[in-house]
Amino acid sequence: MTKPSSRTLRVRLGATTLAALTLFGTAACGAAHDSAPRGAAVVAAADQIRPGITERDDLRAVFDAAGVRGSFAMLDVKTRSTTVVDRRRAETPMVPASTFKVPHALVALETGVVKSPDEVIPWDGTPQPFPEWEQDMTMREAVRISNAAAFQVIARRIGLQRERQWLHRLGYGNRQTGPVVDRFWLDGPLKISAVEQTRFMERLAFERLPASREHQRTVRDLIKQEEKDGYTLYAKSGWQNAPGPGTGWWAGWVERGGRVYTFALNIDVAKDGDAAKRATVSRELLQRLNVLPAA
């Protein structure tokens, strides 16, 4: 067979390069025009790589039995397979509410506006919907009781420009803040889907976010729920429009038997008692999928 000339090889390589740019150029150019931080284009390209999805709408019965409407997504990191209940809703971006405290705590530490999780965040004196929010507390405590007011103080310290930069850097949801620095994750325009939450949680679980490993480990520790019976559970709740009707979240991951399963549930909080079902419905779904041991 005749060996191709060097000119022929250059032409072929040029065509290959053009094809690659056609495939990936949109994400890269979009990031450049949006003035996103370095690395955001890589995240955007990675978001286009979708694992296989298994729909388990038979598990809607768990939501029905609890008397709530919602969706669920779970990523088995080893097999790269995603299991969803109500796929359309699981892929629909929604306001993250207090599940945003997970990346928000990381940003607070990375920017230095909070020096450690045990630094006290002062209450700013504004009336709050829950009396326990009306006091000074550490960031660790604010994550534990989901104190939105404390993180509004933190957000004002970070500032709108750095909030935007970090949303792009982390590749979080639609990366939108709007003009109000201390409400964008509570009212929007920031939104993220349950499926996207599983991918973000995967990167934190493996300390692969573009932030220091020390700070990622600290945030992991802040949302650790329990370690027993051969598994460790990490999770963070969220309730948009609390204490009124809105979207409720429970998102995190399970480490068990050397494997990691990330998950996110959202439900409509329509009446008293619905918010408490975020964790109970999530746990039952994880049990039925053989991720958590049976109760």
Side-chain angles (χ1 to χ4, degrees):
M1 186 170 61
T2 304
K3 184 178 180 180
S5 68
S6 56
R7 180 180 182 279
T8 302
L9 285 173
R10 286 197 298 272
V11 170
R12 289 178 182 175
L13 287 171
T16 302
T17 302
L18 178 61
L21 287 172
T22 302
L23 278 172
F24 300 113
T26 302
C29 292
H33 285 300
D34 197 32
S35 299
R38 188 178 303 172
V42 176
V43 173
D47 283 348
Q48 304 304 313
I49 303 171
R50 302 183 61 98
I53 290 183
T54 300
E55 299 184 48
R56 288 290 306 271
D57 282 350
D58 57 302
L59 293 176
R60 289 189 192 216
V62 177
F63 292 90
D64 294 340
V68 293
R69 181 174 172 271
S71 64
F72 180 79
M74 186 192 77
L75 171 64
D76 181 335
V77 173
K78 182 176 181 179
T79 65
R80 305 306 305 163
S81 62
T82 300
T83 301
V84 294
V85 182
D86 192 340
R87 179 172 181 171
R88 176 174 293 183
R89 176 169 173 144
E91 293 182 332
T92 299
M94 299 182 179
V95 175
S98 283
T99 60
F100 185 63
K101 284 186 175 65
V102 179
H104 221 176
L106 182 62
V107 173
L109 294 168
E110 285 286 302
T111 56
V113 302
V114 177
K115 303 303 181 186
S116 84
D118 298 308
E119 179 181 331
V120 174
I121 310 301
W123 172 43
D124 63 6
T126 58
Q128 297 299 322
F130 302 101
E132 56 268 34
W133 290 3
E134 296 181 345
Q135 57 182 308
D136 300 348
M137 67 178 61
T138 66
M139 188 170 74
R140 185 186 303 278
E141 293 168 328
V143 170
R144 181 176 57 80
I145 71 167
S146 214
N147 183 348
F151 273 84
Q152 288 180 292
V153 172
I154 291 171
R156 291 192 286 270
R157 291 182 183 178
I158 295 169
L160 202 54
Q161 182 178 353
R162 287 193 294 184
E163 292 278 17
R164 288 171 177 160
Q165 289 172 342
W166 274 95
L167 285 174
H168 280 279
R169 183 170 181 172
L170 297 173
Y172 188 87
N174 65 1
R175 306 159 173 82
Q176 298 298 310
T177 64
V180 183
V181 71
D182 58 2
R183 298 291 307 179
F184 64 88
W185 70 94
L186 299 170
D187 306 324
L190 183 63
K191 291 185 177 181
I192 190 169
S193 71
V195 171
E196 290 171 329
Q197 289 261 33
T198 66
R199 294 174 188 166
F200 176 79
M201 292 297 180
E202 176 195 4
R203 293 162 68 209
L204 177 59
F206 287 91
E207 299 171 9
R208 292 174 182 164
L209 291 169
S212 78
R213 288 196 166 184
E214 178 188 358
H215 290 157
Q216 290 183 76
R217 292 187 192 110
T218 297
V219 174
R220 283 168 48 97
D221 180 64
L222 291 178
I223 64 170
K224 186 174 179 179
Q225 298 288 318
E226 60 197 38
E227 184 174 5
K228 63 180 184 180
D229 300 332
Y231 73 87
T232 307
L233 171 65
Y234 300 82
K236 182 69 193 76
S237 62
W239 182 358
Q240 178 257 337
N241 198 39
T247 301
W249 286 94
W250 214 55
W253 69 90
V254 176
E255 298 174 0
R256 185 185 184 196
R259 296 177 69 167
V260 175
Y261 307 86
T262 63
F263 66 88
L265 167 137
N266 59 53
I267 62 170
D268 293 339
V269 177
K271 59 185 183 297
D272 290 346
D274 283 351
K277 298 171 184 176
R278 295 168 294 178
T280 55
V281 171
S282 296
R283 286 177 181 275
E284 182 168 352
L285 289 166
L286 290 168
Q287 288 168 2
R288 293 203 183 193
L289 292 167
N290 299 314
V291 172
L292 287 180

mmCIF file with all atom_site columns, all heavy atoms in Angstrom, residues 33-56:
data_model
loop_
_atom_site.group_PDB
_atom_site.id
_atom_site.type_symbol
_atom_site.label_atom_id
_atom_site.label_alt_id
_atom_site.label_comp_id
_atom_site.label_asym_id
_atom_site.label_entity_id
_atom_site.label_seq_id
_atom_site.pdbx_PDB_ins_code
_atom_site.Cartn_x
_atom_site.Cartn_y
_atom_site.Cartn_z
_atom_site.occupancy
_atom_site.B_iso_or_equiv
_atom_site.pdbx_formal_charge
_atom_site.auth_seq_id
_atom_site.auth_comp_id
_atom_site.auth_asym_id
_atom_site.auth_atom_id
_atom_site.pdbx_PDB_model_num
ATOM 1   N N   . HIS A 1 33 ? -17.692 33.535 25.474 1.00 0.00 ? 33 HIS A N   1
ATOM 2   C CA  . HIS A 1 33 ? -18.511 34.731 25.322 1.00 0.00 ? 33 HIS A CA  1
ATOM 3   C C   . HIS A 1 33 ? -19.166 35.138 26.626 1.00 0.00 ? 33 HIS A C   1
ATOM 4   O O   . HIS A 1 33 ? -19.485 36.296 26.836 1.00 0.00 ? 33 HIS A O   1
ATOM 5   C CB  . HIS A 1 33 ? -19.584 34.495 24.240 1.00 0.00 ? 33 HIS A CB  1
ATOM 6   C CG  . HIS A 1 33 ? -19.035 34.523 22.845 1.00 0.00 ? 33 HIS A CG  1
ATOM 7   N ND1 . HIS A 1 33 ? -18.395 35.616 22.317 1.00 0.00 ? 33 HIS A ND1 1
ATOM 8   C CD2 . HIS A 1 33 ? -19.006 33.568 21.873 1.00 0.00 ? 33 HIS A CD2 1
ATOM 9   C CE1 . HIS A 1 33 ? -18.016 35.364 21.069 1.00 0.00 ? 33 HIS A CE1 1
ATOM 10  N NE2 . HIS A 1 33 ? -18.363 34.124 20.777 1.00 0.00 ? 33 HIS A NE2 1
ATOM 11  N N   . ASP A 1 34 ? -19.388 34.169 27.526 1.00 0.00 ? 34 ASP A N   1
ATOM 12  C CA  . ASP A 1 34 ? -20.027 34.462 28.806 1.00 0.00 ? 34 ASP A CA  1
ATOM 13  C C   . ASP A 1 34 ? -19.006 34.889 29.849 1.00 0.00 ? 34 ASP A C   1
ATOM 14  O O   . ASP A 1 34 ? -19.328 35.098 31.006 1.00 0.00 ? 34 ASP A O   1
ATOM 15  C CB  . ASP A 1 34 ? -20.780 33.214 29.297 1.00 0.00 ? 34 ASP A CB  1
ATOM 16  C CG  . ASP A 1 34 ? -21.786 33.551 30.367 1.00 0.00 ? 34 ASP A CG  1
ATOM 17  O OD1 . ASP A 1 34 ? -22.346 34.650 30.325 1.00 0.00 ? 34 ASP A OD1 1
ATOM 18  O OD2 . ASP A 1 34 ? -21.993 32.706 31.246 1.00 0.00 ? 34 ASP A OD2 1
ATOM 19  N N   . SER A 1 35 ? -17.744 34.977 29.443 1.00 0.00 ? 35 SER A N   1
ATOM 20  C CA  . SER A 1 35 ? -16.652 35.374 30.344 1.00 0.00 ? 35 SER A CA  1
ATOM 21  C C   . SER A 1 35 ? -16.567 34.468 31.565 1.00 0.00 ? 35 SER A C   1
ATOM 22  O O   . SER A 1 35 ? -16.320 34.911 32.669 1.00 0.00 ? 35 SER A O   1
ATOM 23  C CB  . SER A 1 35 ? -16.837 36.833 30.800 1.00 0.00 ? 35 SER A CB  1
ATOM 24  O OG  . SER A 1 35 ? -16.811 37.687 29.684 1.00 0.00 ? 35 SER A OG  1
ATOM 25  N N   . ALA A 1 36 ? -16.814 33.166 31.355 1.00 0.00 ? 36 ALA A N   1
ATOM 26  C CA  . ALA A 1 36 ? -16.734 32.218 32.451 1.00 0.00 ? 36 ALA A CA  1
ATOM 27  C C   . ALA A 1 36 ? -15.275 31.981 32.817 1.00 0.00 ? 36 ALA A C   1
ATOM 28  O O   . ALA A 1 36 ? -14.383 32.127 31.979 1.00 0.00 ? 36 ALA A O   1
ATOM 29  C CB  . ALA A 1 36 ? -17.390 30.896 32.048 1.00 0.00 ? 36 ALA A CB  1
ATOM 30  N N   . PRO A 1 37 ? -15.015 31.589 34.071 1.00 0.00 ? 37 PRO A N   1
ATOM 31  C CA  . PRO A 1 37 ? -13.646 31.316 34.483 1.00 0.00 ? 37 PRO A CA  1
ATOM 32  C C   . PRO A 1 37 ? -13.055 30.150 33.712 1.00 0.00 ? 37 PRO A C   1
ATOM 33  O O   . PRO A 1 37 ? -13.776 29.320 33.161 1.00 0.00 ? 37 PRO A O   1
ATOM 34  C CB  . PRO A 1 37 ? -13.790 30.965 35.972 1.00 0.00 ? 37 PRO A CB  1
ATOM 35  C CG  . PRO A 1 37 ? -15.095 31.540 36.369 1.00 0.00 ? 37 PRO A CG  1
ATOM 36  C CD  . PRO A 1 37 ? -15.963 31.479 35.160 1.00 0.00 ? 37 PRO A CD  1
ATOM 37  N N   . ARG A 1 38 ? -11.726 30.088 33.684 1.00 0.00 ? 38 ARG A N   1
ATOM 38  C CA  . ARG A 1 38 ? -11.030 28.987 33.024 1.00 0.00 ? 38 ARG A CA  1
ATOM 39  C C   . ARG A 1 38 ? -11.505 27.663 33.608 1.00 0.00 ? 38 ARG A C   1
ATOM 40  O O   . ARG A 1 38 ? -11.636 27.506 34.805 1.00 0.00 ? 38 ARG A O   1
ATOM 41  C CB  . ARG A 1 38 ? -9.531  29.134 33.232 1.00 0.00 ? 38 ARG A CB  1
ATOM 42  C CG  . ARG A 1 38 ? -8.693  28.150 32.438 1.00 0.00 ? 38 ARG A CG  1
ATOM 43  C CD  . ARG A 1 38 ? -7.231  28.411 32.688 1.00 0.00 ? 38 ARG A CD  1
ATOM 44  N NE  . ARG A 1 38 ? -6.875  29.784 32.365 1.00 0.00 ? 38 ARG A NE  1
ATOM 45  C CZ  . ARG A 1 38 ? -5.673  30.301 32.645 1.00 0.00 ? 38 ARG A CZ  1
ATOM 46  N NH1 . ARG A 1 38 ? -4.765  29.579 33.246 1.00 0.00 ? 38 ARG A NH1 1
ATOM 47  N NH2 . ARG A 1 38 ? -5.409  31.557 32.326 1.00 0.00 ? 38 ARG A NH2 1
ATOM 48  N N   . GLY A 1 39 ? -11.782 26.682 32.739 1.00 0.00 ? 39 GLY A N   1
ATOM 49  C CA  . GLY A 1 39 ? -12.250 25.375 33.200 1.00 0.00 ? 39 GLY A CA  1
ATOM 50  C C   . GLY A 1 39 ? -13.751 25.216 33.054 1.00 0.00 ? 39 GLY A C   1
ATOM 51  O O   . GLY A 1 39 ? -14.257 24.110 33.054 1.00 0.00 ? 39 GLY A O   1
ATOM 52  N N   . ALA A 1 40 ? -14.492 26.316 32.902 1.00 0.00 ? 40 ALA A N   1
ATOM 53  C CA  . ALA A 1 40 ? -15.946 26.214 32.762 1.00 0.00 ? 40 ALA A CA  1
ATOM 54  C C   . ALA A 1 40 ? -16.318 25.509 31.477 1.00 0.00 ? 40 ALA A C   1
ATOM 55  O O   . ALA A 1 40 ? -17.294 24.763 31.420 1.00 0.00 ? 40 ALA A O   1
ATOM 56  C CB  . ALA A 1 40 ? -16.587 27.597 32.807 1.00 0.00 ? 40 ALA A CB  1
ATOM 57  N N   . ALA A 1 41 ? -15.539 25.714 30.391 1.00 0.00 ? 41 ALA A N   1
ATOM 58  C CA  . ALA A 1 41 ? -15.833 25.056 29.125 1.00 0.00 ? 41 ALA A CA  1
ATOM 59  C C   . ALA A 1 41 ? -15.686 23.553 29.254 1.00 0.00 ? 41 ALA A C   1
ATOM 60  O O   . ALA A 1 41 ? -16.446 22.790 28.655 1.00 0.00 ? 41 ALA A O   1
ATOM 61  C CB  . ALA A 1 41 ? -14.890 25.581 28.034 1.00 0.00 ? 41 ALA A CB  1
ATOM 62  N N   . VAL A 1 42 ? -14.717 23.104 30.047 1.00 0.00 ? 42 VAL A N   1
ATOM 63  C CA  . VAL A 1 42 ? -14.530 21.672 30.269 1.00 0.00 ? 42 VAL A CA  1
ATOM 64  C C   . VAL A 1 42 ? -15.744 21.090 30.978 1.00 0.00 ? 42 VAL A C   1
ATOM 65  O O   . VAL A 1 42 ? -16.242 20.026 30.632 1.00 0.00 ? 42 VAL A O   1
ATOM 66  C CB  . VAL A 1 42 ? -13.248 21.409 31.085 1.00 0.00 ? 42 VAL A CB  1
ATOM 67  C CG1 . VAL A 1 42 ? -13.106 19.939 31.408 1.00 0.00 ? 42 VAL A CG1 1
ATOM 68  C CG2 . VAL A 1 42 ? -12.030 21.907 30.317 1.00 0.00 ? 42 VAL A CG2 1
ATOM 69  N N   . VAL A 1 43 ? -16.238 21.803 32.004 1.00 0.00 ? 43 VAL A N   1
ATOM 70  C CA  . VAL A 1 43 ? -17.424 21.349 32.722 1.00 0.00 ? 43 VAL A CA  1
ATOM 71  C C   . VAL A 1 43 ? -18.613 21.278 31.780 1.00 0.00 ? 43 VAL A C   1
ATOM 72  O O   . VAL A 1 43 ? -19.375 20.319 31.774 1.00 0.00 ? 43 VAL A O   1
ATOM 73  C CB  . VAL A 1 43 ? -17.737 22.292 33.905 1.00 0.00 ? 43 VAL A CB  1
ATOM 74  C CG1 . VAL A 1 43 ? -19.061 21.916 34.542 1.00 0.00 ? 43 VAL A CG1 1
ATOM 75  C CG2 . VAL A 1 43 ? -16.627 22.210 34.933 1.00 0.00 ? 43 VAL A CG2 1
ATOM 76  N N   . ALA A 1 44 ? -18.774 22.329 30.938 1.00 0.00 ? 44 ALA A N   1
ATOM 77  C CA  . ALA A 1 44 ? -19.906 22.360 30.020 1.00 0.00 ? 44 ALA A CA  1
ATOM 78  C C   . ALA A 1 44 ? -19.869 21.185 29.066 1.00 0.00 ? 44 ALA A C   1
ATOM 79  O O   . ALA A 1 44 ? -20.891 20.559 28.778 1.00 0.00 ? 44 ALA A O   1
ATOM 80  C CB  . ALA A 1 44 ? -19.903 23.677 29.253 1.00 0.00 ? 44 ALA A CB  1
ATOM 81  N N   . ALA A 1 45 ? -18.675 20.856 28.550 1.00 0.00 ? 45 ALA A N   1
ATOM 82  C CA  . ALA A 1 45 ? -18.554 19.721 27.645 1.00 0.00 ? 45 ALA A CA  1
ATOM 83  C C   . ALA A 1 45 ? -18.872 18.422 28.367 1.00 0.00 ? 45 ALA A C   1
ATOM 84  O O   . ALA A 1 45 ? -19.552 17.543 27.834 1.00 0.00 ? 45 ALA A O   1
ATOM 85  C CB  . ALA A 1 45 ? -17.139 19.671 27.063 1.00 0.00 ? 45 ALA A CB  1
ATOM 86  N N   . ALA A 1 46 ? -18.392 18.292 29.605 1.00 0.00 ? 46 ALA A N   1
ATOM 87  C CA  . ALA A 1 46 ? -18.639 17.064 30.378 1.00 0.00 ? 46 ALA A CA  1
ATOM 88  C C   . ALA A 1 46 ? -20.118 16.870 30.643 1.00 0.00 ? 46 ALA A C   1
ATOM 89  O O   . ALA A 1 46 ? -20.616 15.747 30.688 1.00 0.00 ? 46 ALA A O   1
ATOM 90  C CB  . ALA A 1 46 ? -17.869 17.105 31.687 1.00 0.00 ? 46 ALA A CB  1
ATOM 91  N N   . ASP A 1 47 ? -20.847 17.983 30.814 1.00 0.00 ? 47 ASP A N   1
ATOM 92  C CA  . ASP A 1 47 ? -22.277 17.883 31.088 1.00 0.00 ? 47 ASP A CA  1
ATOM 93  C C   . ASP A 1 47 ? -23.036 17.265 29.927 1.00 0.00 ? 47 ASP A C   1
ATOM 94  O O   . ASP A 1 47 ? -24.165 16.809 30.094 1.00 0.00 ? 47 ASP A O   1
ATOM 95  C CB  . ASP A 1 47 ? -22.865 19.274 31.394 1.00 0.00 ? 47 ASP A CB  1
ATOM 96  C CG  . ASP A 1 47 ? -22.533 19.731 32.806 1.00 0.00 ? 47 ASP A CG  1
ATOM 97  O OD1 . ASP A 1 47 ? -22.058 18.886 33.582 1.00 0.00 ? 47 ASP A OD1 1
ATOM 98  O OD2 . ASP A 1 47 ? -22.750 20.916 33.109 1.00 0.00 ? 47 ASP A OD2 1
ATOM 99  N N   . GLN A 1 48 ? -22.437 17.292 28.724 1.00 0.00 ? 48 GLN A N   1
ATOM 100 C CA  . GLN A 1 48 ? -23.128 16.740 27.569 1.00 0.00 ? 48 GLN A CA  1
ATOM 101 C C   . GLN A 1 48 ? -22.995 15.219 27.497 1.00 0.00 ? 48 GLN A C   1
ATOM 102 O O   . GLN A 1 48 ? -23.668 14.580 26.699 1.00 0.00 ? 48 GLN A O   1
ATOM 103 C CB  . GLN A 1 48 ? -22.573 17.373 26.283 1.00 0.00 ? 48 GLN A CB  1
ATOM 104 C CG  . GLN A 1 48 ? -22.635 18.890 26.263 1.00 0.00 ? 48 GLN A CG  1
ATOM 105 C CD  . GLN A 1 48 ? -24.021 19.425 26.496 1.00 0.00 ? 48 GLN A CD  1
ATOM 106 O OE1 . GLN A 1 48 ? -24.980 18.939 25.879 1.00 0.00 ? 48 GLN A OE1 1
ATOM 107 N NE2 . GLN A 1 48 ? -24.154 20.396 27.374 1.00 0.00 ? 48 GLN A NE2 1
ATOM 108 N N   . ILE A 1 49 ? -22.094 14.659 28.288 1.00 0.00 ? 49 ILE A N   1
ATOM 109 C CA  . ILE A 1 49 ? -21.886 13.207 28.271 1.00 0.00 ? 49 ILE A CA  1
ATOM 110 C C   . ILE A 1 49 ? -22.883 12.577 29.232 1.00 0.00 ? 49 ILE A C   1
ATOM 111 O O   . ILE A 1 49 ? -22.741 12.654 30.442 1.00 0.00 ? 49 ILE A O   1
ATOM 112 C CB  . ILE A 1 49 ? -20.440 12.855 28.676 1.00 0.00 ? 49 ILE A CB  1
ATOM 113 C CG1 . ILE A 1 49 ? -19.452 13.570 27.750 1.00 0.00 ? 49 ILE A CG1 1
ATOM 114 C CG2 . ILE A 1 49 ? -20.217 11.350 28.635 1.00 0.00 ? 49 ILE A CG2 1
ATOM 115 C CD1 . ILE A 1 49 ? -18.012 13.460 28.183 1.00 0.00 ? 49 ILE A CD1 1
ATOM 116 N N   . ARG A 1 50 ? -23.893 11.960 28.697 1.00 0.00 ? 50 ARG A N   1
ATOM 117 C CA  . ARG A 1 50 ? -24.989 11.471 29.521 1.00 0.00 ? 50 ARG A CA  1
ATOM 118 C C   . ARG A 1 50 ? -24.887 9.965  29.706 1.00 0.00 ? 50 ARG A C   1
ATOM 119 O O   . ARG A 1 50 ? -24.774 9.226  28.727 1.00 0.00 ? 50 ARG A O   1
ATOM 120 C CB  . ARG A 1 50 ? -26.325 11.838 28.893 1.00 0.00 ? 50 ARG A CB  1
ATOM 121 C CG  . ARG A 1 50 ? -26.503 13.333 28.695 1.00 0.00 ? 50 ARG A CG  1
ATOM 122 C CD  . ARG A 1 50 ? -27.873 13.620 28.146 1.00 0.00 ? 50 ARG A CD  1
ATOM 123 N NE  . ARG A 1 50 ? -28.884 13.157 29.079 1.00 0.00 ? 50 ARG A NE  1
ATOM 124 C CZ  . ARG A 1 50 ? -29.496 13.954 29.944 1.00 0.00 ? 50 ARG A CZ  1
ATOM 125 N NH1 . ARG A 1 50 ? -29.189 15.220 30.005 1.00 0.00 ? 50 ARG A NH1 1
ATOM 126 N NH2 . ARG A 1 50 ? -30.418 13.481 30.747 1.00 0.00 ? 50 ARG A NH2 1
ATOM 127 N N   . PRO A 1 51 ? -24.933 9.496  30.947 1.00 0.00 ? 51 PRO A N   1
ATOM 128 C CA  . PRO A 1 51 ? -24.938 8.050  31.158 1.00 0.00 ? 51 PRO A CA  1
ATOM 129 C C   . PRO A 1 51 ? -26.273 7.460  30.760 1.00 0.00 ? 51 PRO A C   1
ATOM 130 O O   . PRO A 1 51 ? -27.249 8.183  30.527 1.00 0.00 ? 51 PRO A O   1
ATOM 131 C CB  . PRO A 1 51 ? -24.716 7.934  32.679 1.00 0.00 ? 51 PRO A CB  1
ATOM 132 C CG  . PRO A 1 51 ? -25.294 9.204  33.225 1.00 0.00 ? 51 PRO A CG  1
ATOM 133 C CD  . PRO A 1 51 ? -25.017 10.262 32.182 1.00 0.00 ? 51 PRO A CD  1
ATOM 134 N N   . GLY A 1 52 ? -26.342 6.128  30.684 1.00 0.00 ? 52 GLY A N   1
ATOM 135 C CA  . GLY A 1 52 ? -27.601 5.474  30.381 1.00 0.00 ? 52 GLY A CA  1
ATOM 136 C C   . GLY A 1 52 ? -28.625 5.728  31.480 1.00 0.00 ? 52 GLY A C   1
ATOM 137 O O   . GLY A 1 52 ? -28.279 5.826  32.655 1.00 0.00 ? 52 GLY A O   1
ATOM 138 N N   . ILE A 1 53 ? -29.883 5.848  31.071 1.00 0.00 ? 53 ILE A N   1
ATOM 139 C CA  . ILE A 1 53 ? -30.950 6.144  32.034 1.00 0.00 ? 53 ILE A CA  1
ATOM 140 C C   . ILE A 1 53 ? -31.945 4.997  32.073 1.00 0.00 ? 53 ILE A C   1
ATOM 141 O O   . ILE A 1 53 ? -32.404 4.509  31.031 1.00 0.00 ? 53 ILE A O   1
ATOM 142 C CB  . ILE A 1 53 ? -31.658 7.458  31.682 1.00 0.00 ? 53 ILE A CB  1
ATOM 143 C CG1 . ILE A 1 53 ? -30.718 8.644  31.938 1.00 0.00 ? 53 ILE A CG1 1
ATOM 144 C CG2 . ILE A 1 53 ? -32.946 7.634  32.478 1.00 0.00 ? 53 ILE A CG2 1
ATOM 145 C CD1 . ILE A 1 53 ? -31.334 10.002 31.698 1.00 0.00 ? 53 ILE A CD1 1
ATOM 146 N N   . THR A 1 54 ? -32.258 4.551  33.278 1.00 0.00 ? 54 THR A N   1
ATOM 147 C CA  . THR A 1 54 ? -33.276 3.539  33.497 1.00 0.00 ? 54 THR A CA  1
ATOM 148 C C   . THR A 1 54 ? -34.466 4.196  34.176 1.00 0.00 ? 54 THR A C   1
ATOM 149 O O   . THR A 1 54 ? -34.318 4.793  35.244 1.00 0.00 ? 54 THR A O   1
ATOM 150 C CB  . THR A 1 54 ? -32.745 2.399  34.392 1.00 0.00 ? 54 THR A CB  1
ATOM 151 O OG1 . THR A 1 54 ? -31.615 1.793  33.764 1.00 0.00 ? 54 THR A OG1 1
ATOM 152 C CG2 . THR A 1 54 ? -33.828 1.358  34.631 1.00 0.00 ? 54 THR A CG2 1
ATOM 153 N N   . GLU A 1 55 ? -35.634 4.090  33.559 1.00 0.00 ? 55 GLU A N   1
ATOM 154 C CA  . GLU A 1 55 ? -36.836 4.681  34.140 1.00 0.00 ? 55 GLU A CA  1
ATOM 155 C C   . GLU A 1 55 ? -37.549 3.641  35.000 1.00 0.00 ? 55 GLU A C   1
ATOM 156 O O   . GLU A 1 55 ? -37.846 2.547  34.539 1.00 0.00 ? 55 GLU A O   1
ATOM 157 C CB  . GLU A 1 55 ? -37.756 5.204  33.034 1.00 0.00 ? 55 GLU A CB  1
ATOM 158 C CG  . GLU A 1 55 ? -37.095 6.278  32.188 1.00 0.00 ? 55 GLU A CG  1
ATOM 159 C CD  . GLU A 1 55 ? -38.032 6.870  31.136 1.00 0.00 ? 55 GLU A CD  1
ATOM 160 O OE1 . GLU A 1 55 ? -39.177 7.230  31.486 1.00 0.00 ? 55 GLU A OE1 1
ATOM 161 O OE2 . GLU A 1 55 ? -37.604 6.958  29.967 1.00 0.00 ? 55 GLU A OE2 1
ATOM 162 N N   . ARG A 1 56 ? -37.807 4.021  36.243 1.00 0.00 ? 56 ARG A N   1
ATOM 163 C CA  . ARG A 1 56 ? -38.482 3.128  37.191 1.00 0.00 ? 56 ARG A CA  1
ATOM 164 C C   . ARG A 1 56 ? -39.774 3.777  37.679 1.00 0.00 ? 56 ARG A C   1
ATOM 165 O O   . ARG A 1 56 ? -39.914 4.114  38.852 1.00 0.00 ? 56 ARG A O   1
ATOM 166 C CB  . ARG A 1 56 ? -37.546 2.825  38.371 1.00 0.00 ? 56 ARG A CB  1
ATOM 167 C CG  . ARG A 1 56 ? -36.387 1.909  38.041 1.00 0.00 ? 56 ARG A CG  1
ATOM 168 C CD  . ARG A 1 56 ? -36.861 0.473  37.776 1.00 0.00 ? 56 ARG A CD  1
ATOM 169 N NE  . ARG A 1 56 ? -37.662 -0.036 38.870 1.00 0.00 ? 56 ARG A NE  1
ATOM 170 C CZ  . ARG A 1 56 ? -37.154 -0.679 39.937 1.00 0.00 ? 56 ARG A CZ  1
ATOM 171 N NH1 . ARG A 1 56 ? -35.855 -0.851 40.044 1.00 0.00 ? 56 ARG A NH1 1
ATOM 172 N NH2 . ARG A 1 56 ? -37.955 -1.132 40.876 1.00 0.00 ? 56 ARG A NH2 1
#
